[in-house]
Amino acid sequence: FGQVVDVEQQTKAALLRKLRITAIAVSARDVFVAAAARKGGGFELWRMTPALDGGQVVLEGLRGCCGQCDVQVRGEELVVADNTKHRVARYDRDGKLLGTFGQRARDGGEGFGGCCNPMNTRVDAEGRIYTAESEGIVKCFAADGTLLATIGKAELAGGCKHVAVAVANGGERIYMLDINNSAIAVMARKGATR
């Protein structure tokens, strides 16, 4: 009549979610790790030494859709894909908010579409910030949040997903992880050599 629930299996699954690390980033002097919050929901951002000791939480209460919270480093700044707020947030190494950019925009444009974007970010050598949306859209922003370009759209399987993005050769080539298809989508700037 009722559904049988394996309590032990459910408990193990919950514990594994709590042990999950979703991102790692490295600056000249620190290693940063985004991980599930120790208490409650959401994520925390930890700072530690290159030897991975002296860990301390520098940001708490981060939210992330689909179990994803991404952090990147730009110089001494942290760049966080604050996807549940449809923005990118910048923090100093101690977790002090320096600024944000982005807003929800159903039609995309300068904002972020979908239910929870951007999912991931990447900073290139010139300090530009690339964002990846779960619908396969990649955008490039100046450090101040000014939209420089919509790079393109990869054809990805539907649904909310982790869409890590990497940038090569000053933006000549963009790589996007298509996790649902176990594939990598490659975008090249028009006129770029392959």
Side-chain angles (χ1 to χ4, degrees):
F1 295 108
Q3 182 181 15
V4 176
V5 176
D6 185 335
V7 175
E8 184 176 344
Q9 183 180 13
Q10 294 292 327
T11 302
K12 284 180 183 178
L15 287 173
L16 285 175
R17 279 192 300 275
K18 283 294 187 190
L19 297 174
R20 189 161 175 245
I21 294 172
T22 64
I24 187 168
V26 179
S27 71
R29 61 179 169 164
D30 300 305
V31 175
F32 296 92
V33 175
R38 293 163 292 162
K39 295 180 183 175
F43 296 90
E44 297 171 334
L45 189 61
W46 288 73
R47 183 183 71 213
M48 56 195 83
T49 70
L52 302 181
D53 59 13
Q56 70 181 84
V57 175
V58 294
L59 272 173
E60 295 178 295
L62 294 171
R63 298 286 173 208
C65 185
C66 300
Q68 178 61 28
C69 182
D70 185 42
V71 63
Q72 300 294 316
V73 171
R74 191 181 98 212
E76 289 291 314
E77 288 184 11
L78 304 172
V79 177
V80 176
D82 201 353
N83 60 37
T84 61
K85 294 180 181 175
H86 292 86
R87 69 182 191 179
V88 173
R90 296 175 17 259
Y91 298 90
D92 70 11
R93 69 183 290 272
D94 295 317
K96 178 184 174 195
L97 183 64
L98 300 174
T100 65
F101 67 86
Q103 71 277 340
R104 185 179 192 135
R106 292 271 181 216
D107 63 350
E110 292 192 26
F112 300 107
C115 69
C116 47
N117 282 303
M119 291 298 283
N120 294 85
T121 61
R122 184 67 60 207
V123 180
D124 72 10
E126 289 78 34
R128 293 178 295 239
I129 300 169
Y130 291 78
T131 60
E133 299 181 39
S134 56
E135 293 80 15
I137 299 168
V138 176
K139 295 177 181 170
C140 179
F141 294 87
D144 68 359
T146 302
L147 177 66
L148 299 175
T150 297
I151 301 299
K153 181 176 181 180
E155 295 301 320
L156 306 179
C160 194
K161 66 192 87 50
H162 173 71
V163 284
V165 63
V167 180
N169 300 328
E172 291 291 321
R173 190 170 271 194
I174 309 295
Y175 298 88
M176 178 181 271
L177 174 65
D178 179 357
I179 199 165
N180 289 352
N181 289 316
S182 298
I184 298 171
V186 181
M187 298 177 211
R189 184 179 293 156
K190 288 183 182 180
T193 58
R194 290 191 178 260

